[in-house]
Amino acid sequence: MSLDPAHAARIVKAVHGRQEILADPAYELELADTLKTSYGASGLVELYGRFSFGDGFVDALMRRSILRALSRSCGARLQVGSGAVFKHPETFEFGNGVFVGAQANIQGRYDGTCVIGNNVWIGPQAFLDARNLVMEEYVGFGPGAKVLGSAHTGMPADVPIVRTDLEIKPVRIEAWADIGTNATILPGVTIGKGAIVGAGAVVVSDVEPFSVVAGVPAKFLHWRTDSDLTRTASQNNGVIHER
């Protein structure tokens, strides 16, 4: 029985990962400087709320200009989707060509560090506990995926857990790694360079570079090969997200 061509796997060119990163226009840099001088940090946070929703040119321009003014550093061509939420962006470092999808939530801490490298793609509705987080270049972070960077100690046992101290552990996602839709990465985990984390996986321990893991808890499946892209397309009915 032959496979219906309409349901066959299809390979298309990547979009985000192949884009040319051009310098931002001078007026955007000047706008960010003016906003920073005129509003201050608290005023900028309030101003962001006015433009947080909407897909028009002005809304998108204001979101990225305000984040540039608030963040520790910001590279060229930042894209911020409608409804994206940020906490303590003054601790963030954005590389060039970063994409943050609609309704993503990136939560830093006043004394934390969040580094998002060049050409990182963060999908819609992703959640990042960014109190001690590094994402290196060309990371793909799927829609709804989560990073958890802290947990309550639960000690002493005779008080509510929510009142016990938080233990913050660093999370590292090395260059080229790809995190599947709705995957969860737990505190203290390092995802190795070029690794693939399957959709819905719960990652409780470090992942070796160029390995493929999946499941709950995530387990090693195999080392990456050039056939993985075709296999992924087949498992998703021929659809490959354009990142």
Side-chain angles (χ1 to χ4, degrees):
M1 181 177 177
S2 61
L3 183 65
D4 182 350
H7 294 90
R10 190 161 61 98
I11 305 298
V12 298
K13 293 289 187 183
V15 176
H16 178 78
R18 291 175 175 265
Q19 67 178 334
E20 181 182 2
I21 306 300
L22 304 174
D24 287 326
Y27 73 83
E28 285 200 22
L29 304 181
E30 293 169 2
L31 174 60
D33 287 341
T34 300
L35 292 171
K36 187 173 184 177
T37 301
S38 301
Y39 283 87
S42 59
L44 286 171
V45 171
E46 180 182 357
L47 185 64
Y48 182 86
R50 303 184 195 178
F51 298 96
S52 59
F53 288 92
D55 293 315
F57 173 81
V58 173
D59 293 299
L61 168 64
M62 291 301 293
R63 284 196 293 269
R64 62 178 176 265
S65 296
I66 293 168
L67 276 175
R68 180 185 297 280
L70 281 169
S71 62
R72 188 174 290 166
S73 62
C74 182
R77 300 294 169 175
L78 173 67
Q79 299 179 67
V80 182
S82 173
V85 176
F86 303 88
K87 185 174 182 180
H88 289 295
E90 72 276 10
T91 64
F92 296 177
E93 300 175 30
F94 293 103
N96 295 318
V98 172
F99 174 89
V100 180
Q103 299 179 46
N105 189 332
I106 305 180
Q107 294 197 8
R109 179 181 157 92
Y110 67 92
D111 59 354
T113 298
C114 172
V115 178
I116 300 176
N118 295 335
N119 297 287
V120 167
W121 189 93
I122 298 171
Q125 299 182 341
F127 174 81
L128 306 179
D129 180 340
R131 304 174 215 212
N132 192 339
L133 173 65
V134 173
M135 282 189 178
E136 297 182 358
E137 64 180 6
Y138 288 99
V139 166
F141 197 83
K146 301 171 182 65
V147 166
L148 305 181
S150 63
H152 289 277
T153 63
M155 299 298 293
D158 60 348
V159 300
I161 293 172
V162 74
R163 295 187 62 184
T164 63
D165 292 342
L166 278 173
E167 183 179 17
I168 298 171
K169 294 182 179 180
V171 174
R172 301 291 181 267
I173 304 178
E174 296 181 351
W176 308 359
D178 192 80
I179 312 302
T181 299
N182 290 325
T184 300
I185 300 170
L186 295 190
V189 166
T190 294
I191 307 296
K193 180 177 180 179
I196 295 175
V197 175
V202 177
V203 186
V204 301
S205 58
D206 292 352
V207 175
E208 292 291 329
F210 295 99
S211 65
V212 179
V213 302
V216 182
K219 295 182 179 180
F220 173 83
L221 297 182
H222 56 83
W223 299 108
R224 279 185 58 192
T225 68
D226 289 339
S227 64
D228 282 326
L229 183 57
T230 302
R231 183 184 301 110
T232 300
S234 298
Q235 292 172 347
N236 289 281
N237 296 321
V239 176
I240 300 176
H241 293 292
E242 295 182 352
R243 294 179 178 172

